[in-house]
Each structure stands twice: as structure tokens, then as C-alpha cells.
Amino acid sequence: MVQAMREGRRDLCRILRENSSQEDGDRDGHGDVFTKLLPNSIEPGSYEPPLLPKAYAPNSRIYTTLMKGYMMCGRVTDTVRMLEAMRRQEDSASHPDHVTYTTVVSAMVKAGSMDRARQVLAEMTRIGVPANRITYNILLKGYCEQLKIDKAKELLRDMADDSGIEPDVVSYNILIDGCILVDDSAGALSFFNEMRAKGIAPTKISYTTLMKAFALSGQPKLANKVFDEMLGDARVKADLISWNMLVEGYCRLGLFEEGKKIIQRMKESGFYPNVATYGSLANAIALARKPGEALLLWNEVKERCRAKNEGENCDSSSTPPPPPLKPDEGLLDTLADICVRAAFFRKALEIVACMEEYGIPPNKTKYTRIYVEMHSRMFTSKHASKARQDRRVERKRAAEAFKFGWVCLILIMGVSGG
């Protein structure tokens, strides 16, 4: 298309139709591109696509759009070649602008070539094409993704000193998230406070990202403090992601009761737990070794899964039920693991059946390993005390029960595997 525009051709509609037919646009179920753009031109009476009233030469925007396509496909070499071609155009309207150079910077960053990206930034300064805040934020994100926080800090200073561009809330959110990647919760807090000291209002992402820093570093109380600050900030509103981050902060340490209380607060605030919420709680149950709580959680998850069918018969005048839930592999696998270890085989089979329903393959290797572990601990010496002998009998019965349940599990898994 771009080449045809450079040649001054007016039959772009025909080119579009031919190319869309060759690419088999209907394979996604989205329909033919040509049909969507020019539906009237495919009627029997107008088979030949119309000519444009005049030729349109490609400009900087057209070239940059093509360049973005190369960038999204990871074709860095083609992106750079397009930049060189734009520089050589006689028409000044086709010369690269700040959007073009920012696209090249994005391609370099995406490919991990931060040195080359900085060279492009230096070239922008040399030829008088000013970089904007978006360009710098892309570079900041690139350094953070490569765990080069010192380089990101240096760029932040250059951004203000050399270009006179002050960082915005997006800049600081990137830096806070970068500190998380290097496990530096103190650095994340420092950037957050610096942002507020400059009069930049934190967004919901700012608060939640800082909560994540404290949650992942094992400081749930600090995460809770940040959450309380967010609740007191009239400019932002806590959402389910924020609540889940608070739940995760406590649950990843096995603080089940605290996590459970937060979920109750969340429900009272009008938010229903989702798969991430239940997954965090299930992990806390496993760490706290409270299999009984796993049964209660499974019952709640099971009811939410059924809500899809039962919601149709719900009385519209009553309190609306929670939305249906689609469990994922992590949640069901954790619950099944807890139930198998606690010898709750009937519940374990229910969970495996739920896995089958949602097309999730059960982890056969894990359950086999659990059986081997239990079997190796089942026997004791013949010369042991009577109390130990009695416990051995109890363990043997438990092992027999496990064996029966395990056969059922194997049968169900075998059906799914076949």
C-alpha cells in the first residue's frame, strides 16, 4: 500500500482487496478487511473497486504507522531502514518527527538494545527534534525491565536537567515498579514520597504498585497502611486489584485469619472475591495447615461456579447474587493438594471433576509424589511401643483409604488423558 502511494497510484481499493484475499482474512472469524471498509463496493454491480479521486502521497504519519507495524513484530532492522528512508525523502512532510523517533526508541527498547535507544535519543537532540515525556518514559521502562535502576535514576535527572521535562505520575509508577523487580521496597517508597513532594497526585496504580512492593517483601502491615491512605484519598477509588494486593500481602505469609478478615471487609465494601482472591486464600490455608478451611473455601468456590446456571432463576427483587466464577488451574490444584494431603478424598475427587469440567488437566505427578511420601512413613518397627503400634494401625487404615481414593483419581485422570 505504501509503495503504491509513493508511485501515485489511485487503485488502492483494489490492492487492499487483493491483499486481504491473499491473507485469508476470514480465518479469525472477523470477516474480510475489504468488506468491512468498503461494503458497497463488493455488490455484483460494482465488482471493480473504485478509484480514488486523486493520488495521495504518503506522509510522516503513514510511514510511522508502517514503522509501528514493524516494531510490533520485532523487526528492528526494518524499523531502522524505514527511518533512513524517511530521512531521504524530498518532501518535508515525509521526514521523521518526534513520533517517528519515539517509535524507533520503542523498537530498540523492546529488543533490549538500550544503548542504541539512547543513541536515537541523542540524535533527536542533535537534529532539533525534541523528545517528549513519552519517549523518556519508554526508556525508563526499558532500564527498569533490565533491572538497571541506577541507569533509570540517571535518565530521570537528565530528563529534567537537559531537556527541561519533569517526570509525571507515569514516570514514577514505572520507577516504583522497577524497584519491585529488584526487591527494593524502600526505594519504591522513596520514589512515591518524592512524587508527592513534587505535587504529583498518586493514581490508583501508584498506590497499588507501592502496596505490591510491601506485599512481596513480606511487609503486609505497611501495605495495609498504604491501602488506608488510598481509601482516604478522594481522588482515587480502591478497586478489586487493590483489595487483592492487600489480601496477597497477608496470605503469602500464611496469615490466614488476617486475609480472611480483609476478604470480609472487601465483601462489605461491595467487591466480590475473584479467582486471584481465592487463590491467595488457598495458599494461606496450605501454609497455615488448616485443611478444614479448605473445605469451606471449596464450598464457596463451588457455589460461585454454579451461579452461572442458577442466576437465571434469581428473584430480581432480592439482593443480587455474586457473579459466576471460572476457577483456574492454580486455585483448583492448591485445593486438591490440601484435600489429598488431609485424606479428604471425596472432596479431592469433586475438585478433580471440576478440573475436568473446565478443561484443566490434574497434576498426576504431584499426587503420585504425595502417595509415595505417605507410604514411606506408614511403617514402624516391630519393637515399638503399643502407642506407636496403634498409630501404625491408624496410618495403615489411612493409607488404604488413600489407595482407594487414589485409584479413583487415576481413573478420572485416565479418562481425561484419553
Side-chain angles (χ1 to χ4, degrees):
M1 287 290 293
V2 175
Q3 182 60 33
M5 293 176 71
R6 294 182 63 187
E7 295 171 358
R9 295 173 59 174
R10 296 167 54 201
D11 58 342
L12 301 184
C13 296
R14 182 176 63 81
I15 296 173
L16 178 62
R17 184 172 69 177
E18 290 176 354
N19 288 343
S20 63
S21 299
Q22 293 174 2
E23 294 173 1
D24 191 18
D26 286 329
R27 64 189 173 197
D28 310 348
H30 297 302
D32 185 81
V33 175
F34 184 82
T35 304
K36 284 186 173 185
L37 295 179
L38 296 170
N40 296 330
S41 67
I42 61 170
E43 294 179 359
S46 58
Y47 177 79
E48 185 64 24
L51 296 176
L52 296 179
K54 65 176 183 177
Y56 293 91
N59 56 16
S60 174
R61 183 174 181 181
I62 296 293
Y63 284 123
T64 302
T65 301
L66 178 59
M67 184 184 291
K68 287 181 179 178
Y70 288 143
M71 182 264 294
M72 294 176 65
C73 294
R75 295 167 60 176
V76 179
T77 302
D78 289 330
T79 303
V80 175
R81 289 175 59 190
M82 179 61 66
L83 176 64
E84 294 296 334
M86 292 176 68
R87 288 171 176 161
R88 292 193 297 265
Q89 296 298 309
E90 296 180 0
D91 183 10
S92 61
S94 299
H95 290 175
D97 57 11
H98 70 280
V99 178
T100 309
Y101 279 103
T102 299
T103 303
V104 178
V105 170
S106 296
M108 300 296 183
V109 169
K110 187 176 180 182
S113 303
M114 293 303 301
D115 291 340
R116 295 178 66 189
R118 288 300 295 268
Q119 290 173 5
V120 175
L121 180 66
E123 181 180 345
M124 293 176 70
T125 303
R126 181 177 57 82
I127 64 176
V129 177
N132 58 18
R133 191 177 288 112
I134 295 175
T135 313
Y136 279 101
N137 284 345
I138 292 171
L139 288 166
L140 285 173
K141 188 172 181 64
Y143 280 130
C144 289
E145 288 178 346
Q146 293 188 4
L147 310 182
K148 298 178 179 178
I149 305 302
D150 290 338
K151 288 281 189 179
K153 292 178 180 179
E154 178 184 330
L155 179 64
L156 189 69
R157 291 190 294 269
D158 295 343
M159 179 177 172
D161 298 340
D162 298 343
S163 302
I165 299 175
E166 291 295 329
D168 61 358
V169 66
V170 176
S171 311
Y172 280 105
N173 287 346
I174 291 171
L175 292 166
I176 293 171
D177 197 46
C179 289
I180 294 175
L181 296 177
V182 296
D183 194 22
D184 183 12
S185 59
L189 179 60
S190 177
F191 279 124
F192 185 84
N193 290 334
E194 179 181 323
M195 175 178 64
R196 292 206 293 190
K198 290 185 176 182
I200 302 174
T203 62
K204 181 165 49 182
I205 295 175
S206 308
Y207 283 112
T208 305
T209 306
L210 185 59
M211 288 173 60
K212 181 180 179 181
F214 289 131
L216 297 183
S217 62
Q219 303 177 81
K221 291 184 178 180
L222 291 178
N224 205 339
K225 184 177 180 180
V226 175
F227 183 74
D228 290 339
E229 287 188 25
M230 179 168 58
L231 293 180
D233 191 338
R235 296 164 298 190
V236 298
K237 186 177 181 181
D239 59 4
L240 183 57
I241 297 175
S242 308
W243 281 101
N244 280 347
M245 189 55 62
L246 185 59
V247 172
E248 173 65 12
Y250 285 99
C251 288
R252 69 185 291 109
L253 297 180
L255 301 175
F256 166 74
E257 293 298 337
E258 289 82 352
K260 190 175 179 181
K261 290 177 182 177
I262 293 170
I263 292 176
Q264 183 57 38
R265 283 177 56 199
M266 180 172 65
K267 292 178 179 178
E268 294 171 355
S269 299
F271 293 95
Y272 291 106
N274 62 4
V275 173
T277 321
Y278 289 130
S280 296
L281 193 61
N283 289 330
I285 291 172
L287 290 173
R289 298 186 178 183
K290 294 189 174 184
E293 295 290 346
L295 300 182
L296 297 176
L297 178 59
W298 165 238
N299 288 335
E300 183 173 344
V301 170
K302 188 166 53 174
E303 290 301 317
R304 290 283 300 277
C305 292
R306 294 173 179 170
K308 183 176 181 181
N309 299 326
E310 297 177 354
E312 300 175 356
N313 302 323
C314 180
D315 184 1
S316 58
S317 62
S318 63
T319 303
L325 182 77
K326 183 179 180 181
D328 64 3
E329 181 178 359
L331 171 61
L332 295 180
D333 187 63
T334 301
L335 289 174
D337 183 281
I338 296 171
C339 289
V340 170
R341 291 181 184 277
F344 297 150
F345 299 112
R346 183 176 298 177
K347 293 299 180 181
L349 291 174
E350 287 182 8
I351 297 170
V352 171
C354 184
M355 289 181 172
E356 294 294 311
E357 180 181 350
Y358 287 95
I360 302 171
N363 192 331
K364 303 178 184 180
T365 303
K366 175 187 285 188
Y367 298 137
T368 301
R369 188 181 69 249
I370 296 172
Y371 173 76
V372 172
E373 290 175 358
M374 291 183 65
H375 189 271
S376 64
R377 300 190 190 108
M378 185 177 64
F379 301 101
T380 58
S381 171
K382 295 180 180 180
H383 305 289
S385 65
K386 187 176 185 305
R388 293 193 63 185
Q389 294 281 354
D390 292 341
R391 286 197 297 271
R392 183 184 67 177
V393 173
E394 292 177 3
R395 281 197 298 270
K396 188 174 181 180
R397 290 174 180 171
E400 291 298 323
F402 181 87
K403 184 177 179 181
F404 173 76
W406 176 239
V407 170
C408 296
L409 285 170
I410 288 293
L411 288 174
I412 294 177
M413 294 177 195
V415 172
S416 65

